[in-house]
Amino acid sequence: MRTGTEGRGNGFSVSTVRETNLQLVLRTVRELAPCSRAAVASDTGLNKTTVSSLVADLMARGLVRETGETSQRRVGRPGVLLALDDTSLAAIGLEVNVDYLAVVAVDLLDRELATRHVHFDARAAGPEASARLMAETVRETAAASALAGRRIVGVSVAVPGLVDPVGTVVLAPNLGWRDVPLGGRLAALLDDPALPTQVDNDGNLGVMAEFRDGTCAGTPDLVYVTGEVGVGAGVLSGGTLLRGASGSAGEIGHLCLDPDGPECACGRRGCLEALAGIGAIVAAAVPDLAAGGLPWTGSEVADLVGAATRRAREGDAVAVAAMERAGTWLGRGLAGLANVVDPGVVVLGGYFVPMGPWLLPSVRAALAEHMFAPDTGGCRVELSGLGFSAAARGGAAAMVHALDTGRLPLPAPAEERVE
Amino acid sequence: MRTGTEGRGNGFSVSTVRETNLQLVLRTVRELAPCSRAAVASDTGLNKTTVSSLVADLMARGLVRETGETSQRRVGRPGVLLALDDTSLAAIGLEVNVDYLAVVAVDLLDRELATRHVHFDARAAGPEASARLMAETVRETAAASALAGRRIVGVSVAVPGLVDPVGTVVLAPNLGWRDVPLGGRLAALLDDPALPTQVDNDGNLGVMAEFRDGTCAGTPDLVYVTGEVGVGAGVLSGGTLLRGASGSAGEIGHLCLDPDGPECACGRRGCLEALAGIGAIVAAAVPDLAAGGLPWTGSEVADLVGAATRRAREGDAVAVAAMERAGTWLGRGLAGLANVVDPGVVVLGGYFVPMGPWLLPSVRAALAEHMFAPDTGGCRVELSGLGFSAAARGGAAAMVHALDTGRLPLPAPAEERVE
């Protein structure tokens, strides 16, 4: 049961009441579609005249459409059915990582319209060139035939690091970025005041994608672990994303597992990332190919992961042992995470997915060995089915869902404005 | 702005609407007191007649009283001022731990009416004798002169372990308890169907007490660490208590910090608790006195902590080094916690408080060294000012606050019932 806000001298301005009710009707159509205006009125408690006016407004904004079908009713004339308009709008999510730029565009139903995966060396390029490439990629994606005629409702960028609420990348060790005002720079390059942009941590957006569209969708205590050169996590607890006091919740890559361990990009020793990050794994799995060490550029990481999994599949003892050892460290790190937040499911993403067959058994064994109460509910570990697009997809979906939970960013088009 | 629920054919039964509105008025009086009925009506959006009826009901239940003063108004006759009734009701919180039973009774304003701290060996006594002692303690506390004439609105028990939603202690390694239906047994012993009981983890209730009444009250990302023979934590993130998928969130005592470390009560090696729990600290700080090793009974833990802090104060190098070393391990463990949930403040409780002068510097140094981003907001570590009563007090306060957020457990007394 949702409750509408009817203006009744309660201090809300009429325009705020209307915006709140537009969002309410949009959420209701999302849940009930296909549904009649009468069903929306009944579910929200708003009166039918108000609902008709709100629906007209949402249709003018390209958010709701009539399906062309009518409801079967025993009494009265049949109602025209409504659904979300999946033809007019799109949201774009990007993910910048050490060795690639991923792009996903989705419609109002979170369905993928387009995806791209570009090998790209963000560390070598630096923040300014990276922002320019992102802006260019957004423009190309918006102009692509898959998005023909659609209005873009928002752009999201996922970054492997700590991001503040205004979109500044405070610290991204593996990109070598510190205090980069990426959100502001990207907005300036896109130069469209009507186009909202957001920047967030890749783990945070990844777990939102898993919660919405992953194989364990709907799990309220859910963790997504990025498997890149860096390792980070997004943590949902009771269905709510943990951000923490300064936005660095989920930075499990820097859990110290071995004080005498190898050096980490953060300057410490024995961090999870230095023991079980993709760089550490390929250095041990294909030492002959990875001799140059980090940082690798462009497609080198993908090539090294490909070689490592190929050798593991062929039974190469060095490659298999490297992955199993990394899996044990990863399981120990996840036990630390599990003792603190007690998730029901941990989903491993990124390059952990192709290495899954060799990682998973030792991850699960070490997790069960080191977590406090493995026999009281325990914690499942699964591989992501969303590939490298999880964080980008989560960001795009976040821009879509901002429409019905935050402020509606879209003014009604002038030629069709409903007053 | 809170919004009242006026019955308007929305599927709520009238009695549910009334109960919801009673809670709303109670919350409003808690916030605005002293306040007139007119102010409550204005703040809630409920009409004045409804508010008057609800206030009469709350007064009959002993929840609200007239202060005897009137509001100054420029127009109309002055309104009689209302406040929470801090004279009629009380809630009781208990904490059972390895070596004591703590009791706190509070009034409707969370003010302490009575506290007790009883040395008690729960492990030796076992669950049944412990439950009997708790029931007897509740009866004695309720009958004490400080609570004379007050009705008890609820009893809470804090336990150092994993508790399920129906009050069964699933696992409490330091008490040696597993699958103990404590909540049900205590309710049976108290034999009063009108008296709600709850059982929860000591860290969870401790952090609620710190959030309400501690020196860092109101910090939304807050952690309370219990400093007993066992070490556990209660974690607030964004103002919400983390429970996790199976209720074991905050079990930081079993973070593995040293795989080759000493054996822990949980059966593993090198857990935080085995390195920095009170048992580990006193064993190293006063080895001559603590030679018998765990488990200690009754008042032995308190005596050993007293001896250790006395020697540290006198400059005994062994005692000081033991506390500093434990502080370093504790700081490392807190860094793991901080990397996962990013709290703004960690409050150390229990026996960590008297040892604070020797623990804190090394805790803070190790935390800063091992957390991911110590310079982006960081994480303060402070000592609790609530003493050993934090968890008991948090439980008592939880029973009070259940009155205005959950179901009102109190029927109006028959002789004054408002229909």
Side-chain angles (χ1 to χ4, degrees):
Chain A
M1 179 71 204
R2 293 163 291 271
T3 304
T5 305
E6 314 258 14
R8 49 179 172 104
N10 56 9
F12 283 120
S13 73
V14 172
S15 67
T16 309
V17 170
R18 189 165 177 87
E19 179 134 323
T20 302
N21 284 340
L22 283 168
Q23 291 161 359
L24 173 63
V25 170
L26 188 60
R27 284 199 300 277
T28 306
V29 173
R30 183 184 287 282
E31 259 182 50
L32 303 183
C35 59
S36 65
R37 287 169 176 81
V40 172
S42 156
D43 196 74
T44 58
L46 296 166
N47 73 49
K48 289 184 192 175
T49 313
T50 304
V51 168
S52 288
S53 162
L54 294 166
V55 166
D57 197 340
L58 291 170
M59 289 176 66
R61 294 171 195 237
L63 292 159
V64 165
R65 65 182 174 88
E66 294 181 339
T67 64
E69 295 175 349
T70 55
S71 62
Q72 303 294 323
R73 299 205 302 182
R74 290 201 297 187
V75 182
R77 62 194 173 92
V80 177
L81 291 181
L82 303 170
L84 290 191
D85 185 347
D86 54 353
T87 64
S88 302
L89 306 173
I92 296 176
L94 305 178
E95 180 194 354
V96 58
N97 218 306
V98 174
D99 62 319
Y100 64 83
L101 185 70
V103 190
V104 174
V106 302
D107 68 14
L108 220 52
L109 295 171
D110 287 1
R111 288 184 307 211
E112 276 186 18
L113 299 169
T115 63
R116 283 174 66 194
H117 188 89
V118 183
H119 289 298
F120 169 64
D121 184 350
R123 173 187 277 271
E128 176 61 21
S130 296
R132 288 185 181 278
L133 177 67
M134 288 178 213
E136 190 187 323
T137 304
V138 168
R139 275 191 289 263
E140 281 175 16
T141 305
S145 61
L147 275 71
R150 289 175 185 260
R151 194 149 48 139
I152 308 301
V153 297
V155 173
S156 165
V157 182
V159 176
L162 183 54
V163 181
D164 78 6
V166 299
T168 295
V169 181
V170 177
L171 181 62
N174 290 300
L175 299 183
W177 294 4
R178 185 182 270 273
D179 295 323
V180 173
L182 183 63
R185 187 66 192 120
L186 186 61
L189 289 166
L190 291 171
D191 194 23
D192 178 355
L195 182 61
T197 58
Q198 74 159 21
V199 183
D200 204 342
N201 173 267
D202 57 350
N204 291 349
L205 294 174
V207 77
M208 293 314 300
E210 292 292 341
F211 184 68
R212 290 204 182 96
D213 303 314
T215 47
C216 299
T219 302
D221 295 281
L222 183 67
V223 170
Y224 174 79
V225 178
T226 67
E228 316 294 338
V229 171
V231 177
V235 180
L236 279 189
S237 182
T240 301
L241 184 68
L242 298 195
R243 292 196 172 273
S246 57
S248 69
E251 287 293 349
I252 63 165
H254 305 283
L255 291 174
C256 178
L257 300 182
D258 180 5
D260 305 319
E263 209 174 302
C264 179
C266 73
R268 298 181 190 81
R269 302 195 80 89
C271 295
L272 170 59
E273 181 170 307
L275 292 159
I278 296 305
I281 298 179
V282 296
V286 288
D288 49 324
L289 305 177
L294 281 167
W296 294 294
T297 59
S299 60
E300 287 176 359
V301 175
D303 290 347
L304 289 167
V305 171
T309 52
R310 205 157 40 242
R311 287 195 193 168
R313 205 174 304 116
E314 290 161 359
D316 180 87
V318 171
V320 169
M323 293 182 199
E324 289 177 348
R325 206 162 45 238
T328 298
W329 286 116
L330 184 55
R332 286 189 181 194
L334 294 181
L337 170 82
N339 285 348
V340 175
V341 296
D342 181 21
V345 179
V346 173
V347 177
L348 304 181
Y351 291 114
F352 287 148
V353 176
M355 296 183 179
W358 303 278
L359 284 174
L360 267 187
S362 53
V363 170
R364 289 174 175 154
L367 173 60
E369 188 183 338
H370 289 279
M371 74 182 283
F372 173 56
D375 49 352
T376 60
C379 174
R380 280 165 55 203
V381 184
E382 305 292 345
L383 299 177
S384 174
L386 299 179
F388 289 94
S389 67
R393 179 201 284 233
M399 299 315 285
V400 165
H401 287 267
L403 296 177
D404 46 65
T405 56
R407 286 181 66 80
L408 282 183
L410 296 172
E415 68 274 22
E416 304 170 55
R417 190 179 297 274
V418 177
E419 301 290 353
Chain B
M1 177 70 204
R2 293 163 291 270
T3 305
T5 305
E6 313 258 14
R8 47 177 174 107
N10 55 9
F12 282 120
S13 72
V14 171
S15 67
T16 310
V17 170
R18 188 165 178 88
E19 180 134 321
T20 302
N21 285 339
L22 283 167
Q23 291 161 358
L24 172 65
V25 170
L26 188 60
R27 284 198 301 277
T28 307
V29 173
R30 182 182 288 281
E31 261 182 49
L32 303 182
C35 60
S36 65
R37 287 170 177 79
V40 172
S42 156
D43 195 74
T44 57
L46 295 167
N47 73 48
K48 290 184 193 176
T49 313
T50 305
V51 168
S52 289
S53 162
L54 293 166
V55 166
D57 196 340
L58 292 171
M59 289 175 66
R61 293 172 195 238
L63 292 159
V64 165
R65 66 184 173 89
E66 295 181 338
T67 65
E69 296 174 349
T70 54
S71 62
Q72 303 295 322
R73 298 206 303 185
R74 291 200 298 189
V75 182
R77 63 193 171 92
V80 177
L81 292 181
L82 304 171
L84 291 192
D85 185 346
D86 54 354
T87 65
S88 302
L89 306 173
I92 296 176
L94 305 178
E95 180 193 355
V96 59
N97 218 305
V98 173
D99 61 320
Y100 64 81
L101 184 70
V103 190
V104 175
V106 302
D107 68 14
L108 220 51
L109 296 170
D110 286 0
R111 288 183 309 210
E112 277 185 17
L113 300 169
T115 64
R116 284 174 68 194
H117 187 90
V118 183
H119 289 297
F120 169 62
D121 184 350
R123 172 188 278 270
E128 175 60 22
S130 296
R132 287 184 180 277
L133 177 67
M134 289 177 210
E136 190 187 324
T137 305
V138 167
R139 275 191 289 262
E140 281 174 16
T141 306
S145 59
L147 275 71
R150 289 175 186 260
R151 195 149 46 140
I152 308 301
V153 297
V155 173
S156 165
V157 182
V159 175
L162 182 56
V163 181
D164 78 6
V166 298
T168 294
V169 180
V170 177
L171 181 61
N174 290 300
L175 299 183
W177 293 4
R178 184 181 271 273
D179 296 323
V180 174
L182 182 63
R185 187 66 192 121
L186 186 61
L189 288 166
L190 291 170
D191 193 24
D192 178 354
L195 182 61
T197 57
Q198 73 158 22
V199 183
D200 203 343
N201 174 268
D202 57 349
N204 290 350
L205 293 174
V207 77
M208 293 315 300
E210 292 292 341
F211 184 70
R212 291 202 182 98
D213 303 315
T215 48
C216 298
T219 302
D221 294 281
L222 183 66
V223 170
Y224 174 78
V225 178
T226 67
E228 314 296 338
V229 172
V231 177
V235 181
L236 279 188
S237 182
T240 301
L241 183 68
L242 298 195
R243 291 196 173 272
S246 57
S248 69
E251 287 294 347
I252 63 166
H254 305 283
L255 290 174
C256 178
L257 299 181
D258 180 4
D260 305 319
E263 207 174 306
C264 180
C266 73
R268 299 182 188 80
R269 301 194 80 90
C271 294
L272 169 59
E273 183 171 305
L275 292 158
I278 295 305
I281 297 178
V282 296
V286 289
D288 49 324
L289 304 177
L294 280 167
W296 294 294
T297 59
S299 61
E300 287 177 0
V301 175
D303 290 345
L304 289 168
V305 170
T309 52
R310 206 159 38 242
R311 286 195 194 167
R313 204 174 304 116
E314 289 161 2
D316 180 84
V318 172
V320 169
M323 292 182 200
E324 289 177 350
R325 205 160 48 238
T328 298
W329 286 116
L330 184 54
R332 285 189 181 193
L334 293 181
L337 171 82
N339 286 347
V340 175
V341 297
D342 181 22
V345 179
V346 174
V347 177
L348 304 182
Y351 291 114
F352 287 148
V353 176
M355 295 183 178
W358 303 279
L359 283 175
L360 267 187
S362 54
V363 170
R364 289 173 174 153
L367 174 60
E369 187 183 339
H370 290 279
M371 72 182 283
F372 172 57
D375 49 352
T376 59
C379 174
R380 282 165 55 205
V381 184
E382 305 292 346
L383 299 177
S384 174
L386 299 179
F388 289 93
S389 67
R393 180 201 285 234
M399 297 316 284
V400 165
H401 288 265
L403 296 177
D404 46 65
T405 55
R407 286 181 66 82
L408 283 183
L410 295 174
E415 68 273 22
E416 304 170 56
R417 189 181 298 273
V418 177
E419 300 291 351

